[in-house]
Amino acid sequence: MSIVRLAIDTDKDQAVALLHASHLGAGFDRADGPTGFVVPFEPAYAERLFLMHVRSPRMICLAADDRDGVTRGVLLAAAYEHRFGPVWIASETAWWIDPAHRGGSAAPRMLDAYEDWARRQGCVFAGMAGMGGDPQVAKLYLRRGYQTAETHFLKAL
């Protein structure tokens, strides 16, 4: 993949398809998935999430295109003031790159664009998440200077 750009409204269908693939990749469609949590995928929710990140001044949606101009990756994030003090933080909402297009420069270029955007928003921290403790994702984040900040626990009710 060679192009990382801001997504626009017309990218909606490709973004929703990538968010669906992300949902499946996280195993949210099955109880035996990596997290054990089942969350139904609703295309209308994915569309709303995408459009919110494209249109909001404190949110971003980055798209990574292959050489043919097909979107193969999407990164959604938001900037917000921390609840405990006057510090701005950027936080990833969702990130997915089609597995057939991983490797090479796609992930680093998307992270570069995300971090540059976060700096322009006045953020002093940028956060990324990893589902299910994937060691490859953790290695990428640690290599780029991210540190473990919290471990969240979730209980099905």
Side-chain angles (χ1 to χ4, degrees):
M1 284 193 285
S2 60
I3 301 169
V4 174
R5 60 178 174 75
L6 292 176
I8 56 175
D9 285 9
T10 56
D11 292 327
K12 179 185 61 160
D13 293 339
Q14 286 181 314
V16 169
L18 287 168
L19 290 170
H20 187 224
S22 171
H23 185 87
L24 296 172
F28 287 141
D29 62 321
R30 59 189 199 282
D32 67 341
T35 66
F37 299 108
V38 176
V39 178
F41 180 80
E42 294 290 339
Y45 279 60
E47 179 179 331
R48 182 178 65 195
L49 183 69
F50 166 76
L51 291 172
M52 180 173 51
H53 280 76
V54 167
R55 295 174 180 169
S56 173
R58 286 291 190 171
M59 294 182 167
I60 191 170
C61 180
L62 298 168
D65 296 347
D66 66 14
R67 292 186 180 138
D68 296 323
V70 178
T71 302
R72 303 295 185 174
V74 65
L75 191 158
L76 285 69
Y80 61 93
E81 190 172 33
H82 196 282
R83 292 181 291 254
F84 298 151
V87 174
W88 280 81
I89 296 177
S91 179
E92 167 225 345
T93 304
W95 187 26
W96 180 257
I97 298 173
D98 182 304
H101 294 86
R102 292 180 185 169
S105 66
R109 289 186 66 183
M110 291 187 88
L111 287 173
D112 287 344
Y114 163 59
E115 292 165 9
D116 289 344
W117 169 82
R119 283 184 198 92
R120 288 192 308 275
Q121 296 297 308
C123 295
V124 295
F125 298 105
M128 295 296 294
M131 294 299 299
D134 182 342
Q136 295 297 73
V137 172
K139 281 201 294 193
L140 171 65
Y141 294 157
L142 292 170
R143 197 170 48 241
R144 290 191 56 99
Y146 289 83
Q147 300 175 26
T148 303
E150 288 185 339
T151 301
H152 291 232
F153 296 88
L154 190 62
K155 177 181 177 180
L157 302 175

